[in-house]
Amino acid sequence: MCIRDSYIAAEHMQAFTEDDQRVARMVSRMIEELLLTSQARRQAVGKVGNIVNYPSVVDETFQGFASETDFIDEIEFLLSDIQKGGAIDTESEENVSIISIDIDNQSSMAMTYGNRMARNVSQQMGFRIRGQMQLSDRYAAGKLFHVSADKYFLLVRISLEEARTLAKRLKEAVQVDYRISPRYAAPGRPVLRESMRDITRVTTHLGVASYSLQKLEELLSRYPADIATNMVRALIVAGTEEILNRGKSEGGNCIISWEKEQGSPWSQVPL
């Protein structure tokens, strides 16, 4: 009789009476219930630990990425520095650019392959974005944030034209065929090759916006000091989302750029 990975054995077939076997089965079930309860408690404690260590990360799949909360904090920290006239030189020509990346038809992907597979594709896409950033010292200082299941924001101090070029590079890097495990695998844990599945024809739409430090300083000056950073941060976040929505309404598989010098605030970047 098997009790998990342990066995009760005897040299003779009649070593145990029917009553002995019945008791052994009861003990086996009790041990199994205890093991399952212990496992459930360990998993619960592990999840609590993740919440304590990564309070802004809801999905453990994206534990290695900064979150939407981190993005908001980073914007507010930048604006606060500008407002205080701190270490940031608003007289320079430096720009802060935001590249937003969203998977086309992610809900359809989740319906076809399941939510776990769709999230794993998004995770692998995040790794590819991070890898592209590390290829250049100019982009390596940028910060990548996972905002939702299928969406990333990249904050980097480059000009609008440089951001457009980077967006093209990122689009090419992430629009590939993905070989994905349908199960969650913790970092460093092996995944069986035969369990992998191919997801093809993944496309994205990207948004590009850029703000000079002088422009951000001017925006802050429009509001009372005690609410200025919150107001301007809200404008930046809303603008970033609006650019992505414009890309989605264009049918996806595109890059939309915000260009303040043009009569229209939107322009589609040639691919």
Side-chain angles (χ1 to χ4, degrees):
M1 182 185 301
C2 175
I3 304 179
R4 286 294 180 175
D5 293 328
S6 301
Y7 294 85
I8 299 176
E11 294 182 2
H12 306 290
M13 292 182 61
Q14 305 301 323
F16 301 106
T17 66
E18 289 187 5
D19 287 342
D20 292 335
Q21 293 176 38
R22 190 160 43 248
V23 170
R25 284 194 293 270
M26 291 176 60
V27 171
S28 173
R29 285 194 291 270
M30 291 171 62
I31 293 174
E32 182 177 3
E33 288 298 323
L34 289 170
L35 288 171
L36 290 172
T37 301
S38 175
Q39 181 182 25
R41 287 178 175 174
R42 286 198 304 270
Q43 290 175 344
V45 169
K47 290 182 179 179
V48 169
N50 284 339
I51 293 172
V52 171
N53 293 322
Y54 308 97
S56 60
V57 178
V58 176
D59 189 340
E60 62 184 358
T61 306
F62 302 98
Q63 187 170 294
F65 297 94
S67 68
E68 181 177 14
T69 301
D70 297 322
F71 174 73
I72 291 172
D73 289 344
E74 189 72 23
I75 294 294
E76 289 189 350
F77 181 78
L78 169 70
L79 295 172
S80 179
D81 259 10
I82 292 174
Q83 187 182 45
K84 294 174 182 176
I88 295 179
D89 181 10
T90 54
E91 297 299 319
S92 73
E93 296 182 358
E94 186 177 14
N95 281 48
V96 175
S97 293
I98 301 171
I99 300 174
S100 45
I101 305 142
D102 198 1
I103 300 174
D104 294 333
N105 304 314
Q106 200 269 350
S107 58
S108 175
M109 183 190 301
M111 290 180 64
T112 303
Y113 299 101
N115 285 324
R116 168 58 64 189
M117 290 278 282
R119 292 202 303 277
N120 286 354
V121 169
S122 182
Q123 180 200 53
Q124 293 301 314
M125 183 173 290
F127 292 151
R128 285 181 169 272
I129 295 169
R130 183 180 288 165
Q132 287 296 310
M133 292 167 59
Q134 293 171 349
L135 291 177
S136 168
D137 291 340
R138 180 71 171 151
Y139 306 141
K143 296 183 179 180
L144 180 65
F145 305 88
H146 175 254
V147 178
S148 66
D150 55 344
K151 190 184 304 178
Y152 290 90
F153 290 167
L154 171 59
L155 186 66
V156 57
R157 294 198 182 187
I158 55 178
S159 68
L160 179 61
E161 208 54 48
E162 288 177 298
R164 286 171 170 165
T165 300
L166 177 57
K168 288 183 182 181
R169 179 186 298 180
L170 294 177
K171 193 173 191 300
E172 292 176 359
V174 301
Q175 292 198 177
V176 296
D177 295 342
Y178 289 86
R179 194 163 179 77
I180 299 294
S181 170
R183 301 179 180 86
Y184 170 74
R189 294 285 298 274
V191 177
L192 294 176
R193 182 172 298 180
E194 55 268 27
S195 72
M196 306 289 275
R197 295 186 60 184
D198 293 321
I199 298 182
T200 60
R201 297 186 295 277
V202 176
T203 62
T204 57
H205 54 281
L206 291 80
V208 181
S210 190
Y211 304 85
S212 68
L213 297 182
Q214 294 96 321
K215 180 63 177 178
L216 293 175
E217 186 177 41
E218 187 269 321
L219 287 173
L220 287 166
S221 68
R222 297 179 186 179
Y223 303 97
D226 58 335
I227 63 170
T229 56
N230 287 335
M231 295 299 292
V232 177
R233 182 261 299 162
L235 288 174
I236 292 172
V237 173
T240 303
E241 293 283 0
E242 183 62 26
I243 295 172
L244 275 185
N245 290 337
R246 181 62 177 255
K248 186 175 183 178
S249 67
E250 292 287 334
N253 197 19
C254 62
I255 301 174
I256 301 295
S257 173
W258 177 71
E259 178 59 90
K260 63 181 181 298
E261 282 81 13
Q262 295 183 358
S264 169
W266 312 103
S267 64
Q268 190 158 325
V269 178
L271 300 178

